[in-house]
Amino acid sequence: MAGRRPGQTQTRDDILAAARNQFGQHGYNGATIRGIATEAGVNPALVHHFFRSKEQVFVAALNLPMTPSTIADAILRGPREQIGERVIRLFLGLWSAPESGQTFLALVRSVSSNEHIASLMRQFLEHTVVGPVSAALDLPPLRITGAAAQGIGLAMARYVIKVEPLASATDDEVVELVAPVLQHYFTP
Amino acid sequence: MAGRRPGQTQTRDDILAAARNQFGQHGYNGATIRGIATEAGVNPALVHHFFRSKEQVFVAALNLPMTPSTIADAILRGPREQIGERVIRLFLGLWSAPESGQTFLALVRSVSSNEHIASLMRQFLEHTVVGPVSAALDLPPLRITGAAAQGIGLAMARYVIKVEPLASATDDEVVELVAPVLQHYFTP
């Protein structure tokens, strides 16, 4: 925030609050930068100035530590027979890093208790993970949701419920445990 | 509650509140019926009268629709090569039934936002699912937590986040999707 005037932070927060509302009401596809700007009482150009694209507004509204395209890239880049291991290592890396780990934890907690956030997460998963990955891998979308469910449950069990011995297993042990399952979901 | 005097309902609720506190503070193994009775200000015989055993107090405190032994029984009964399918069918049946489905939903929601409930769920999983099932199947406990994580994530993705096409898939489609993964976890 260095160099920003306090008013800009407030404006940015107003835009994000409007974005959460617009995405919640109209869905990812239905929401527009114009609609978000109108609700926030600012010029659409200002939304573009802060966030550049609808996807970036969405990422900021959900407080995600990375863009969906980064996730899809990481899943799709590299040999297909190692896709399960790549995904779980990316996942564990993000959860272990203090900043993104905190963000994910807040997200998992709020998804369960807040229908509004659940709706944003649903749209995020459908439009930016399940759709693109199933198209790129030529797999039924249901398979991708199975893998996503395994990831969400791993986060819940390891980082929220903290069930042993999963909570104190090393990352390598978790990779060995979960990579074959993700590989199964990502294999025709 | 037919035939019960209003005072009994209050007493039962007091015992359950004390139980949640005692299990939270001392863990499943450390908590005692005597300690729960003392905190609730009643005679231990009354706790026995209402709930019969520590396990039953625990189940009632977590508002679970079935006892842990029932779950373990369902997992362990029948051919081992069909264990994955048995577990997922039991799971889907419980989620589909209105009463147990509502209870599970409340539980998943509160686990994420309430450290107290998360601690009870952790103990429930460790002492009454992971321990007994890994012993009975002669598998490392970590494998059982992998299967539990898949189940928790399936619940989150299908019933809380409601991501498509998983949310509106039929039970048979979900069985086909998830049974092989659970079978993998339950196979040496």
Side-chain angles (χ1 to χ4, degrees), chain A residues 40-72:
Chain A
V42 302
N43 192 297
L46 196 62
V47 179
H48 277 289
H49 166 72
F50 275 120
F51 301 102
R52 286 200 308 230
S53 68
K54 185 163 85 171
E55 188 193 36
Q56 295 284 353
V57 182
F58 188 65
V59 166
L62 264 181
N63 203 19
L64 290 173
M66 65 194 307
T67 67
S69 353
T70 317
I71 298 175

Side-chain angles (χ1 to χ4, degrees), chain B residues 4 21 32 57 73 123 127 133 144 155 187:
Chain B
R4 277 195 194 156
N21 198 34
T32 60
V57 182
D73 276 0
Q123 296 167 54
H127 292 287
V133 173
I144 314 302
T187 303

Side-chain angles (χ1 to χ4, degrees), chain A residues 59-101:
Chain A
V59 166
L62 264 181
N63 203 19
L64 290 173
M66 65 194 307
T67 67
S69 353
T70 317
I71 298 175
D73 276 1
I75 293 178
L76 300 173
R77 198 188 311 123
R80 181 142 177 178
E81 65 274 19
Q82 291 160 14
I83 194 169
E85 179 168 347
R86 269 201 313 283
V87 170
I88 184 64
R89 287 206 184 276
L90 171 74
F91 177 92
L92 292 169
L94 286 169
W95 272 94
S96 303
E99 198 178 325
S100 52

Side-chain angles (χ1 to χ4, degrees), chain B residues 15-148:
Chain B
I15 293 170
L16 290 179
R20 279 187 285 270
N21 198 34
Q22 292 282 312
F23 285 125
Q25 274 185 35
H26 305 292
Y28 182 80
N29 287 340
T32 60
I33 288 199
R34 179 167 298 273
I36 292 166
T38 302
E39 181 172 333
V42 301
N43 192 296
L46 197 60
V47 179
H48 277 290
H49 165 73
F50 275 121
F51 301 103
R52 286 201 305 231
S53 69
K54 185 163 84 171
E55 188 194 36
Q56 295 285 352
V57 182
F58 189 65
V59 166
L62 264 180
N63 202 18
L64 292 173
M66 66 195 305
T67 68
S69 353
T70 317
I71 298 174
D73 276 0
I75 293 178
L76 301 172
R77 198 186 314 124
R80 182 143 177 179
E81 65 273 17
Q82 290 161 14
I83 194 169
E85 179 168 345
R86 265 199 319 278
V87 170
I88 184 65
R89 286 206 184 276
L90 171 73
F91 177 93
L92 292 168
L94 286 169
W95 272 94
S96 304
E99 198 178 327
S100 51
Q102 282 303 102
T103 301
F104 278 172
L105 199 56
L107 199 57
V108 167
R109 286 191 199 282
S110 50
V111 151
S112 315
S113 52
N114 183 327
E115 172 52 37
H116 201 70
I117 304 284
S119 159
L120 290 181
M121 178 54 88
R122 174 164 61 244
Q123 296 167 54
F124 164 70
L125 287 171
E126 289 174 3
H127 292 287
T128 59
V129 178
V130 177
V133 173
S134 84
L137 294 178
D138 195 21
L139 285 171
L142 191 61
R143 299 292 287 272
I144 314 302
T145 60

Side-chain angles (χ1 to χ4, degrees), chain A residues 108-115 118-119 121-122 125-126 130 141-150 152-154 156-157 160-167 169 173-174 176-178 180-181 184-185, chain B residues 108-115 118-119 121-122 125-126 130 141-150 152-154 156-157 160-167 169 173-174 176-178 180-181 184-185:
Chain A
V108 167
R109 286 189 199 283
S110 50
V111 152
S112 316
S113 51
N114 183 326
E115 172 53 36
S119 160
M121 177 54 85
R122 173 164 60 244
L125 287 171
E126 289 174 4
V130 177
L142 190 63
R143 298 291 287 268
I144 314 303
T145 60
Q150 173 71 80
I152 293 165
L154 185 66
M156 288 282 290
V160 177
I161 303 176
K162 301 195 183 89
V163 63
E164 294 294 0
L166 185 61
E173 286 168 333
V174 176
E176 198 187 344
L177 179 72
V178 175
V181 164
H184 163 82
Y185 282 126
Chain B
V108 167
R109 286 191 199 282
S110 50
V111 151
S112 315
S113 52
N114 183 327
E115 172 52 37
S119 159
M121 178 54 88
R122 174 164 61 244
L125 287 171
E126 289 174 3
V130 177
L142 191 61
R143 299 292 287 272
I144 314 302
T145 60
Q150 173 72 80
I152 294 164
L154 185 68
M156 290 279 291
V160 177
I161 303 175
K162 300 195 184 91
V163 62
E164 292 295 356
L166 184 61
E173 285 168 333
V174 176
E176 198 187 346
L177 179 73
V178 176
V181 164
H184 163 82
Y185 282 127

